[in-house]
Protein backbone atom coordinates (compact mmCIF):
# COMPACT_ATOMS: atom_id res chain seq x y z
CA UNK A 1 0.00 0.00 0.00
CA UNK A 2 1.21 3.44 -0.89
CA UNK A 3 0.79 6.54 1.30
CA UNK A 4 1.13 9.81 -0.58
CA UNK A 5 0.57 13.42 0.44
CA UNK A 6 -1.62 15.11 -2.15
CA UNK A 7 -2.19 18.52 -0.52
CA UNK A 8 -1.41 20.34 2.71
CA UNK A 9 -4.03 18.43 4.76
CA UNK A 10 -4.72 15.30 2.67
CA UNK A 11 -2.95 11.99 2.06
CA UNK A 12 -4.10 9.15 -0.17
CA UNK A 13 -3.59 5.47 0.50
CA UNK A 14 -3.62 3.29 -2.57
CA UNK A 15 -3.78 -0.44 -3.12
CA UNK A 16 -4.82 -2.81 -5.89
CA UNK A 17 -7.62 -5.35 -5.77
CA UNK A 18 -8.10 -6.07 -9.50
CA UNK A 19 -8.76 -2.34 -9.81
CA UNK A 20 -6.97 0.51 -7.95
CA UNK A 21 -8.57 1.45 -4.64
CA UNK A 22 -7.89 4.73 -2.87
CA UNK A 23 -8.91 5.96 0.57
CA UNK A 24 -7.92 9.30 2.07
CA UNK A 25 -6.65 10.64 5.38
CA UNK A 26 -7.48 14.26 6.16
CA UNK A 27 -5.75 16.13 8.98
CA UNK A 28 -7.62 18.70 11.03
CA UNK A 29 -6.98 20.44 14.41
CA UNK A 30 -8.58 17.56 16.31
CA UNK A 31 -6.94 14.67 14.49
CA UNK A 32 -7.52 12.57 11.38
CA UNK A 33 -10.61 11.79 9.32
CA UNK A 34 -10.62 8.71 7.10
CA UNK A 35 -12.68 9.06 3.93
CA UNK A 36 -13.86 5.63 2.75
CA UNK A 37 -12.49 2.39 4.14
CA UNK A 38 -11.55 0.29 1.11
CA UNK A 39 -11.32 -3.49 1.39
CA UNK A 40 -10.62 -5.56 4.53
CA UNK A 41 -6.89 -6.13 3.94
CA UNK A 42 -6.29 -2.35 3.98
CA UNK A 43 -7.11 -2.04 7.71
CA UNK A 44 -3.57 -2.57 9.00
CA UNK A 45 -2.05 -0.16 6.50
CA UNK A 46 -4.65 2.51 7.27
CA UNK A 47 -3.98 2.31 11.02
CA UNK A 48 -0.21 2.34 10.41
CA UNK A 49 -0.54 5.37 8.14
CA UNK A 50 -2.53 7.32 10.75
CA UNK A 51 0.24 6.61 13.28
CA UNK A 52 2.94 7.57 10.80
CA UNK A 53 1.37 10.96 10.04
CA UNK A 54 1.51 11.77 13.75
CA UNK A 55 -1.08 14.56 13.49
CA UNK A 56 -3.55 13.14 16.01
CA UNK A 57 -5.81 10.13 16.47
CA UNK A 58 -8.36 8.80 14.00
CA UNK A 59 -11.53 10.72 14.91
CA UNK A 60 -14.11 9.52 12.42
CA UNK A 61 -14.78 7.68 9.17
CA UNK A 62 -16.76 9.44 6.43
CA UNK A 63 -18.22 7.34 3.63
CA UNK A 64 -18.89 8.46 0.07
CA UNK A 65 -21.33 5.53 -0.18
CA UNK A 66 -21.94 2.06 1.21
CA UNK A 67 -20.61 -0.32 -1.47
CA UNK A 68 -18.52 -3.14 -0.05
CA UNK A 69 -15.23 -1.88 -1.56
CA UNK A 70 -15.63 1.38 0.42
CA UNK A 71 -16.40 -0.02 3.87
CA UNK A 72 -14.29 -3.20 4.03
CA UNK A 73 -11.68 -2.18 6.60
CA UNK A 74 -14.12 -0.61 9.09
CA UNK A 75 -14.57 -3.59 11.41
CA UNK A 76 -10.84 -4.16 11.93
CA UNK A 77 -10.06 -0.44 12.30
CA UNK A 78 -12.75 -0.11 14.96
CA UNK A 79 -11.55 -2.96 17.17
CA UNK A 80 -11.12 -1.56 20.68
CA UNK A 81 -11.94 1.97 19.54
CA UNK A 82 -15.08 4.02 19.41
CA UNK A 83 -14.84 5.72 16.02
CA UNK A 84 -18.07 7.15 14.59
CA UNK A 85 -18.95 6.44 10.97
CA UNK A 86 -20.99 8.83 8.84
CA UNK A 87 -22.87 8.52 5.55
CA UNK A 88 -25.67 10.42 3.87
CA UNK A 89 -29.09 9.61 5.40
CA UNK A 90 -30.36 8.51 1.95
CA UNK A 91 -27.55 5.93 1.69
CA UNK A 92 -27.95 4.36 5.12
CA UNK A 93 -30.97 2.06 4.48
CA UNK A 94 -29.09 0.47 1.53
CA UNK A 95 -25.79 0.11 3.39
CA UNK A 96 -27.40 -1.54 6.41
CA UNK A 97 -29.38 -3.97 4.24
CA UNK A 98 -32.88 -2.58 4.83
CA UNK A 99 -33.37 -2.09 1.09
CA UNK A 100 -31.66 -3.52 -2.00
CA UNK A 101 -29.54 -1.05 -3.98
CA UNK A 102 -31.46 -0.04 -7.13
CA UNK A 103 -31.11 -2.73 -9.80
CA UNK A 104 -30.16 -5.40 -7.24
CA UNK A 105 -32.47 -8.23 -6.29
CA UNK A 106 -31.38 -8.70 -2.71
CA UNK A 107 -30.38 -6.25 -0.03
CA UNK A 108 -26.71 -6.40 0.91
CA UNK A 109 -25.75 -5.53 4.44
CA UNK A 110 -22.33 -3.91 4.19
CA UNK A 111 -22.55 -2.14 7.57
CA UNK A 112 -24.14 -2.81 10.94
CA UNK A 113 -26.94 -0.29 11.48
CA UNK A 114 -25.82 0.72 14.96
CA UNK A 115 -22.45 2.00 13.83
CA UNK A 116 -23.56 4.46 11.19
CA UNK A 117 -24.56 8.09 11.75
CA UNK A 118 -26.34 10.37 9.25
CA UNK A 119 -24.35 13.39 8.03
CA UNK A 120 -25.97 16.47 9.49
CA UNK A 121 -27.49 19.39 7.60
CA UNK A 122 -28.60 22.91 8.59
CA UNK A 123 -32.25 24.10 8.29
CA UNK A 124 -31.67 24.99 4.65
CA UNK A 125 -30.47 21.48 3.86
CA UNK A 126 -26.79 22.36 3.42
CA UNK A 127 -24.66 19.66 4.93
CA UNK A 128 -22.37 20.67 7.77
CA UNK A 129 -18.59 20.67 7.41
CA UNK A 130 -17.00 17.86 9.39
CA UNK A 131 -13.27 17.30 9.90
CA UNK A 132 -12.54 20.14 7.44
CA UNK A 133 -14.67 18.49 4.73
CA UNK A 134 -18.02 19.64 3.36
CA UNK A 135 -20.26 16.84 2.03
CA UNK A 136 -22.24 17.33 -1.20
CA UNK A 137 -24.95 14.92 -2.29
CA UNK A 138 -23.99 13.54 -5.71
CA UNK A 139 -26.51 10.74 -6.40
CA UNK A 140 -26.45 8.35 -9.33
CA UNK A 141 -23.69 5.82 -8.70
CA UNK A 142 -25.65 5.05 -5.54
CA UNK A 143 -28.75 6.85 -4.21
CA UNK A 144 -27.02 8.65 -1.35
CA UNK A 145 -23.51 9.05 -2.80
CA UNK A 146 -21.64 12.10 -1.51
CA UNK A 147 -18.43 13.87 -2.49
CA UNK A 148 -16.38 15.64 0.20
CA UNK A 149 -14.84 19.02 -0.55
CA UNK A 150 -11.79 20.32 1.29
CA UNK A 151 -12.15 23.99 0.49
CA UNK A 152 -8.81 25.13 1.94
CA UNK A 153 -6.85 22.67 -0.18
CA UNK A 154 -9.18 22.85 -3.20
CA UNK A 155 -9.50 19.06 -3.28
CA UNK A 156 -12.71 17.13 -3.98
CA UNK A 157 -12.79 13.54 -2.73
CA UNK A 158 -15.41 12.08 -5.05
CA UNK A 159 -15.55 8.34 -4.35
CA UNK A 160 -17.17 6.60 -7.33
CA UNK A 161 -18.73 9.65 -9.00
CA UNK A 162 -16.18 9.15 -11.79
CA UNK A 163 -13.33 6.95 -12.87
CA UNK A 164 -10.39 8.40 -14.80
CA UNK A 165 -7.90 7.49 -17.48
CA UNK A 166 -4.73 9.47 -18.16
CA UNK A 167 -5.97 12.53 -16.37
CA UNK A 168 -9.30 12.47 -18.16
CA UNK A 169 -12.76 12.11 -16.61
CA UNK A 170 -14.57 8.84 -17.28
CA UNK A 171 -17.89 7.40 -16.23
CA UNK A 172 -18.33 5.45 -12.98
CA UNK A 173 -18.31 1.68 -13.50
CA UNK A 174 -21.64 0.95 -15.26
CA UNK A 175 -22.09 -2.46 -13.66
CA UNK A 176 -22.17 -0.93 -10.19
CA UNK A 177 -23.91 2.34 -11.03
CA UNK A 178 -27.57 2.56 -10.09
CA UNK A 179 -28.56 5.49 -12.33
CA UNK A 180 -25.98 6.65 -14.88
CA UNK A 181 -28.00 9.66 -16.05
CA UNK A 182 -28.24 10.92 -12.50
CA UNK A 183 -24.51 10.32 -11.97
CA UNK A 184 -23.75 12.41 -15.06
CA UNK A 185 -26.02 15.16 -13.76
CA UNK A 186 -24.15 15.08 -10.45
CA UNK A 187 -20.87 15.75 -12.28
CA UNK A 188 -21.83 19.45 -12.43
CA UNK A 189 -20.61 19.62 -8.83
CA UNK A 190 -17.20 20.24 -10.46
CA UNK A 191 -18.49 23.44 -12.08
CA UNK A 192 -20.07 24.54 -8.84
CA UNK A 193 -16.98 24.01 -6.68
CA UNK A 194 -14.14 24.44 -9.22
CA UNK A 195 -11.71 22.16 -7.31
CA UNK A 196 -8.02 22.29 -8.18
CA UNK A 197 -7.79 18.57 -7.84
CA UNK A 198 -10.27 15.69 -8.07
CA UNK A 199 -9.58 12.42 -6.28
CA UNK A 200 -11.53 9.28 -7.08
CA UNK A 201 -11.49 5.84 -5.60
CA UNK A 202 -10.79 3.76 -8.71
CA UNK A 203 -8.54 6.00 -10.79
CA UNK A 204 -5.83 8.63 -10.77
CA UNK A 205 -6.10 12.31 -9.82
CA UNK A 206 -7.63 14.76 -12.28
CA UNK A 207 -6.36 18.36 -12.17
CA UNK A 208 -8.71 21.31 -12.81
CA UNK A 209 -11.51 18.85 -13.63
CA UNK A 210 -14.16 21.57 -14.14
CA UNK A 211 -12.55 22.33 -17.50
CA UNK A 212 -13.55 18.86 -18.70
CA UNK A 213 -17.12 18.72 -17.44
CA UNK A 214 -18.90 20.01 -20.55
CA UNK A 215 -17.02 17.64 -22.75
CA UNK A 216 -17.66 14.75 -20.37
CA UNK A 217 -21.41 15.45 -20.23
CA UNK A 218 -21.55 15.72 -24.01
CA UNK A 219 -19.75 12.40 -24.48
CA UNK A 220 -22.01 10.71 -21.94
CA UNK A 221 -25.22 12.12 -23.42
CA UNK A 222 -24.22 10.77 -26.82
CA UNK A 223 -23.54 7.38 -25.25
CA UNK A 224 -26.76 7.13 -23.24
CA UNK A 225 -29.42 8.59 -25.55
ZN1 LIG B 1 -19.37 2.14 -5.62
ZN1 LIG C 1 -16.06 1.55 -5.61
Amino acid sequence: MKLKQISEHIWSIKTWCIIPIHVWLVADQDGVTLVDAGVPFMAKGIVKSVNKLDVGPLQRILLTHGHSDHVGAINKIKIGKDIPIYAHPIEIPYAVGEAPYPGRKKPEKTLASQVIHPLEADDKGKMLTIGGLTPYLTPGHSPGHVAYYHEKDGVLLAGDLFTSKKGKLHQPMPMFTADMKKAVKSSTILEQLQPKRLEICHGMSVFNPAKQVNNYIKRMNEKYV
Side-chain angles (χ1 to χ4, degrees):
M1 281 191 352
K2 212 169 116 196
L3 175 70
K4 185 176 145 196
Q5 186 162 18
I6 58 167
S7 65
E8 192 185 343
H9 301 92
I10 306 175
W11 287 258
S12 71
I13 303 175
K14 182 189 183 185
T15 193
W16 284 85
C17 189
I18 308 169
I19 49 171
I21 298 181
H22 293 88
V23 302
W24 301 279
L25 297 174
V26 182
D28 196 22
Q29 304 92 311
D30 64 346
V32 179
T33 298
L34 172 66
V35 178
D36 278 354
V39 285
F41 74 80
M42 293 179 82
K44 218 174 163 184
I46 291 170
V47 172
K48 260 192 186 167
S49 300
V50 172
N51 294 337
K52 199 173 158 192
L53 295 189
D54 198 23
V55 289
L58 183 61
Q59 294 287 5
R60 62 188 73 79
I61 301 173
L62 303 181
L63 300 175
T64 59
H65 62 301
H67 286 166
S68 57
D69 56 324
H70 295 253
V71 303
I74 287 177
N75 288 347
K76 276 192 195 158
I77 291 172
K78 271 178 67 78
I79 290 173
K81 291 182 210 123
D82 187 21
I83 298 167
I85 296 156
Y86 296 86
H88 194 280
I90 293 174
E91 187 76 2
I92 294 176
Y94 302 99
V96 300
E98 280 169 15
Y101 273 104
R104 306 272 154 195
K105 282 200 181 106
K106 284 184 192 160
E108 191 193 352
K109 190 183 171 99
T110 56
L111 279 169
S113 52
Q114 69 275 16
V115 301
I116 187 156
H117 303 275
L119 289 162
E120 284 175 37
D122 65 17
D123 342 326
K124 287 179 189 131
K126 188 180 187 313
M127 281 188 276
L128 305 181
T129 300
I130 178 166
L133 295 156
T134 310
Y136 289 87
L137 182 63
T138 48
H141 176 71
S142 71
H145 185 284
V146 291
Y148 293 97
Y149 189 45
H150 196 288
E151 199 175 353
K152 238 182 184 172
D153 289 11
V155 177
L156 185 68
L157 305 176
D160 285 358
L161 180 56
F162 303 98
T163 57
S164 72
K165 270 178 214 152
K166 296 180 180 162
K168 213 171 152 191
L169 292 177
H170 280 265
Q171 63 182 356
M173 282 181 278
M175 209 179 122
F176 302 106
T177 298
D179 185 334
M180 190 59 86
K181 276 193 179 151
K182 231 181 205 176
V184 172
K185 228 178 185 181
S186 290
S187 66
T188 53
I189 188 75
L190 298 176
E191 279 177 324
Q192 186 191 331
L193 300 173
Q194 299 279 332
K196 284 186 219 151
R197 186 172 180 149
L198 170 73
E199 294 290 311
I200 46 198
C201 185
H202 311 301
M204 302 298 281
S205 317
V206 178
F207 296 91
N208 299 312
K211 285 186 181 166
Q212 298 185 29
V213 177
N214 285 337
N215 186 277
Y216 169 74
I217 293 174
K218 202 174 146 232
R219 269 172 23 232
M220 291 297 285
N221 286 342
E222 281 164 9
K223 202 168 175 175
Y224 291 97
V225 273

